[in-house]
């Protein structure tokens, strides 16, 4: 039996974006009720909420057509409806009005980061940003960053064999990282010491990425005064340490406990359990967040739009942040149920990323 559109739900030859105003309002009420309560909503309640007077029977007709379009579905045999992932995407892209942060919310985010300051590591600042973001959104906050973002305190070379040296990098927050560096054959111990002294005089308090430009200028300026082998050691280090390679990425997560709040049923508990498992699979989360590094502004992934969270039905809202040179050095945001308050969370993620960029650009 062919589907009939008795109430003019969709204009002829129209797509989802051309729902008539009455249908949009009914759909909006279904979505907003879901985002607020997580519960299905029926035609009788919708009829009381919408501004246009419609009988529950007329609302049911609209809901049936919305269901055939794939925008809503009935989770049980009851008359209540919930938005599908397609419906949530349509709502976010076409109907939602993104709110703005209040001045106290802006000040809270700024103060949290300012309290860390540049005296501590970037990781410490990111941790504070995530704690604040998690607290404001009541979701899990995540950040993808690179280990090269740590501000350095000391560097030392230790010879391993004739053509390799161990480089010990100590950051201001006490983290120690060891790397293997190829060195030219015949390098004397004095060249390793000279290279250490040269670098320690220039990298303290800076990330390796920030120090790279200054090191290159200093190498060119002091070319005549440095031993040739010492120059090669330093140049090799500058090339390999400040690249921010993928295997140097790290994931920081805050606020897991927020995901356990407001659970309505065993289904919700199972969803959160699956999400916890997803977050433990750090490689997958890193790959997902990495997809947002090339984008400008906020990216939103809803449910099975990403394979990682297809089972837990979770949404991710993330935005990139940049360093002083304007290079994207990480991605931060939140992960939570698909009924996140998108209109509220999106500006929070965007503003936190911008404040973080300003702090790194100092």
């Amino acid at each position: 039996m062919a589907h009939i559109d008795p109430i003019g739900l969709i204009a002829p030859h129209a797509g989802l974006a051309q729902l008539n105003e009455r249908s949009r309002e009914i759909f909006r009420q279904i979505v907003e009720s879901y985002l607020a309560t997580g519960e299905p909503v029926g035609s009788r309640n919708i009829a009381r909420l919408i501004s246009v007077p419609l009988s529950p029977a007329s609302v049911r007709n609209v809901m049936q057509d919305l269901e055939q379009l794939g925008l809503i579905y009935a989770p049980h045999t009851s008359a209540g409806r919930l938005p599908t992932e397609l419906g949530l995407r349509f709502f976010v892209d076409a109907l939602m009005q993104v709110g703005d942060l209040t001045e106290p919310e802006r000040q809270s985010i700024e103060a949290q980061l300012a309290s860390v300051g540049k005296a501590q590591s970037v990781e410490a600042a990111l941790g504070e940003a995530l704690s604040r973001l998690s607290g404001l959104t009541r979701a899990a906050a995540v950040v993808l960053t690179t280990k090269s973002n740590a501000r350095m305190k000391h560097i030392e070379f230790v010879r391993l064999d004739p053509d390799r040296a161990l480089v010990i990098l100590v950051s201001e927050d006490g983290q120690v990282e060891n790397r293997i560096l190829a060195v030219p054959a015949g390098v004397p111990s004095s060249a390793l010491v000279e290279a250490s002294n040269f670098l320690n005089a220039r990298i303290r308090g800076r990330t390796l990425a920030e120090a790279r430009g200054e090191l290159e200028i200093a190498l060119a300026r002091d070319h005549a005064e440095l031993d040739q082998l010492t120059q090669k050691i330093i140049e090799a280090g500058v090339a390999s340490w400040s690249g921010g390679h993928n295997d140097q990425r790290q994931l920081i997560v805050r606020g897991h406990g927020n995901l356990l709040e407001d659970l309505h049923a065993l289904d919700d508990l199972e969803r959160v359990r699956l999400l916890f498992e997803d977050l433990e699979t750090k490689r997958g989360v890193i790959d997902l967040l990495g997809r947002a590094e090339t984008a400008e502004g906020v990216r939103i992934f809803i449910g099975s739009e990403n394979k990682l969270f297809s089972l837990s039905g979770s949404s991710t809202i993330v935005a990139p942040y940049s360093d002083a040179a304007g290079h994207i050095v990480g991605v931060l945001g939140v992960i939570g149920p698909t009924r996140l308050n998108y209109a509220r969370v999106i500006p929070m993620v965007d503003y936190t990323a911008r404040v973080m960029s300003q702090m790194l650009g100092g």
Side-chain angles (χ1 to χ4, degrees), residues 153-167:
K153 179 180 181 180
H154 181 74
I155 187 168
E156 186 174 348
F157 294 90
V158 177
R159 183 189 296 282
L160 296 176
D161 50 47
D163 59 355
R164 292 190 311 155
L166 175 67
V167 188

Side-chain angles (χ1 to χ4, degrees), residues 55-135:
S55 68
S58 295
V59 172
R60 279 195 296 274
N61 287 336
V62 175
M63 291 169 71
Q64 287 171 4
D65 286 330
L66 290 171
E67 190 167 358
Q68 290 205 4
L69 286 171
L71 297 178
I72 63 175
Y73 74 103
H76 307 293
T77 55
S78 67
R81 297 294 187 273
L82 293 173
T84 63
E85 288 180 1
L86 173 65
L88 285 174
R89 170 53 66 183
F90 174 56
F91 174 79
V92 168
D93 291 347
L95 299 181
M96 183 181 69
Q97 294 182 341
V98 177
D100 198 7
L101 298 185
T102 65
E103 192 57 33
E105 286 171 339
R106 291 173 184 266
Q107 291 175 358
S108 175
I109 293 172
E110 292 170 2
Q112 197 82 2
L113 288 177
S115 67
V116 179
K118 287 195 172 183
Q120 295 187 36
S121 69
V122 173
E123 281 75 13
L126 287 170
E128 291 295 336
L130 292 189
S131 295
R132 175 53 48 189
L133 192 56
S134 174

Side-chain angles (χ1 to χ4, degrees), residues 57-307:
S58 295
V59 172
R60 279 195 296 274
N61 287 336
V62 175
M63 291 169 71
Q64 287 171 4
D65 286 330
L66 290 171
E67 190 167 358
Q68 290 205 4
L69 286 171
L71 297 178
I72 63 175
Y73 74 103
H76 307 293
T77 55
S78 67
R81 297 294 187 273
L82 293 173
T84 63
E85 288 180 1
L86 173 65
L88 285 174
R89 170 53 66 183
F90 174 56
F91 174 79
V92 168
D93 291 347
L95 299 181
M96 183 181 69
Q97 294 182 341
V98 177
D100 198 7
L101 298 185
T102 65
E103 192 57 33
E105 286 171 339
R106 291 173 184 266
Q107 291 175 358
S108 175
I109 293 172
E110 292 170 2
Q112 197 82 2
L113 288 177
S115 67
V116 179
K118 287 195 172 183
Q120 295 187 36
S121 69
V122 173
E123 281 75 13
L126 287 170
E128 291 295 336
L130 292 189
S131 295
R132 175 53 48 189
L133 192 56
S134 174
L136 289 172
T137 62
R138 308 313 301 165
V142 294
V143 69
L144 175 64
T145 185
T146 58
K147 293 179 182 178
S148 61
N149 281 338
R151 297 192 179 278
M152 302 309 302
K153 179 180 181 180
H154 181 74
I155 187 168
E156 186 174 348
F157 294 90
V158 177
R159 183 189 296 282
L160 296 176
D161 50 47
D163 59 355
R164 292 190 311 155
L166 175 67
V167 188
I168 304 171
L169 301 166
V170 182
S171 63
E172 289 186 339
D173 63 354
Q175 294 185 56
V176 178
E177 185 174 348
N178 298 323
R179 304 189 189 182
I180 304 296
L181 182 68
V183 298
V187 170
S189 298
S190 59
L192 295 175
V193 173
E194 187 177 3
S196 297
N197 293 338
F198 180 89
L199 291 169
N200 283 323
R202 291 163 178 81
I203 67 170
R204 188 180 180 92
R206 296 180 173 85
T207 68
L208 291 171
E210 290 172 350
R212 182 174 185 173
E214 183 177 336
L215 288 172
E216 290 173 345
I217 293 171
L219 275 172
R221 184 183 62 235
D222 302 332
H223 190 275
E225 299 177 17
L226 287 171
D227 178 272
Q228 186 176 7
L229 293 177
T230 301
Q231 290 178 41
K232 290 183 178 180
I233 296 169
I234 298 169
E235 288 168 353
V238 170
S240 64
W241 299 334
S242 56
H245 304 300
N246 288 343
D247 62 350
Q248 294 302 319
R249 290 178 174 185
Q250 60 179 332
L251 179 72
I252 306 172
V253 183
R254 295 284 190 276
H256 288 77
N258 292 333
L259 301 173
L260 295 172
E261 297 179 355
D262 197 26
L263 298 181
H264 292 274
L266 288 176
D267 288 347
D268 284 346
L269 187 60
E270 176 65 8
R271 175 187 54 74
V272 171
R273 185 188 67 78
L274 291 169
L275 176 54
F276 276 17
E277 290 182 359
D278 293 336
L279 291 175
E280 290 300 317
T281 312
K282 291 192 174 184
R283 181 74 259 164
V285 180
I286 287 173
D287 290 342
L288 169 64
L289 298 186
R291 291 164 57 187
E293 286 184 316
T294 56
E296 292 185 7
V298 178
R299 289 288 304 276
I300 304 164
F301 303 96
I302 298 175
S304 59
E305 289 178 355
N306 66 81
K307 293 180 180 179

